[in-house]
Amino acid sequence: MPYINIEDLTDKDKALMEVNQLKTEIKLERWLTSKCCEEIKAYIQAAEEEDVLFKGIAEDKNPFKEKGGCVIS
């Protein structure tokens, strides 16, 4: 997709781009926020067992664990 510099466009071109964007947006299906939140919450709770953010990474499978301690003498 080519790069378009908005400053180089005429007012008519800018208005046409805005109308086209609004035509695209009006076709989108709208959902209630409360319904979306319920679905997201159910999805998160369903995947909670496998989610490392909830249960953490096992020490033997953690690639970022420290291999040795730091000793200052």
Side-chain angles (χ1 to χ4, degrees):
M1 186 168 183
Y3 174 76
I4 299 173
N5 189 356
I6 298 295
E7 296 171 0
D8 294 340
L9 297 176
T10 64
D11 288 341
K12 181 180 177 183
D13 290 334
K14 291 177 187 177
L16 183 62
M17 286 178 66
E18 186 173 357
V19 168
N20 289 336
Q21 179 63 32
L22 291 172
K23 285 180 180 179
T24 302
E25 289 179 16
I26 201 155
K27 295 175 188 175
L28 295 175
E29 181 182 355
R30 304 288 179 153
W31 294 348
L32 293 174
T33 303
S34 57
K35 181 181 178 191
C36 293
C37 290
E38 290 172 4
E39 291 181 11
I40 291 171
K41 184 178 174 183
Y43 173 80
I44 291 171
Q45 288 174 342
E48 191 172 355
E49 292 297 321
E50 297 88 36
D51 195 334
V52 295
L53 294 176
F54 278 113
K55 71 177 206 174
I57 301 173
E59 281 296 318
D60 58 334
K61 294 182 182 180
N62 185 356
F64 302 107
K65 70 178 178 182
E66 291 188 26
K67 307 225 181 321
C70 179
V71 177
I72 300 175
S73 51

